[in-house]
Amino acid sequence: FLQHPAAFGAEQRAALVNAYDAEIRFADAQLGALLAKLEELGLAESTLVVVTSDHGETLDELIDSYGYGYDHGEFLHARELHVPLVMHVPGAAA
């Protein structure tokens, strides 16, 4: 969402960043559960696992300089275009 920079005080910025970090921790936990289940079933070394994202995220990095933040799609800043691609390919060198 776009608002005037003054609308984002330090406490609100911290709360929003903490909420985003909680999303990341949740996704990480879910991926961990998937990998653990593959291991439990004896499938870990025969299953291709690919993890990516459809977009990055702008948190509060651009509020002071550009007047907006907490966005992912309005603009083409590197932080929104840079996405992870993690792969586990069974039998491949690490």
Side-chain angles (χ1 to χ4, degrees):
F1 47 83
L2 308 176
Q3 290 192 14
H4 188 275
F8 298 98
E11 285 184 27
Q12 184 176 16
R13 287 183 185 197
L16 292 168
V17 170
N18 287 339
Y20 184 69
D21 289 346
E23 285 184 71
I24 293 169
R25 284 190 301 274
F26 177 78
D28 186 60
Q30 296 305 303
L31 178 59
L34 171 66
L35 297 175
K37 191 64 169 181
L38 290 172
E39 190 71 36
E40 176 187 321
L41 296 172
L43 298 172
E45 291 308 314
S46 63
T47 302
L48 172 67
V49 178
V50 179
V51 179
T52 191
S53 175
D54 61 338
H55 57 76
E57 191 79 28
T58 295
L59 297 176
D60 64 345
E61 307 96 329
L62 301 177
I63 290 176
D64 296 325
S65 57
Y66 291 98
Y68 79 93
Y70 313 102
D71 185 58
H72 59 259
E74 298 296 322
F75 304 98
L76 298 176
H77 292 284
R79 62 187 45 83
E80 295 169 17
L81 298 174
H82 193 104
V83 297
L85 175 61
V86 180
M87 296 174 48
H88 167 70
V89 180

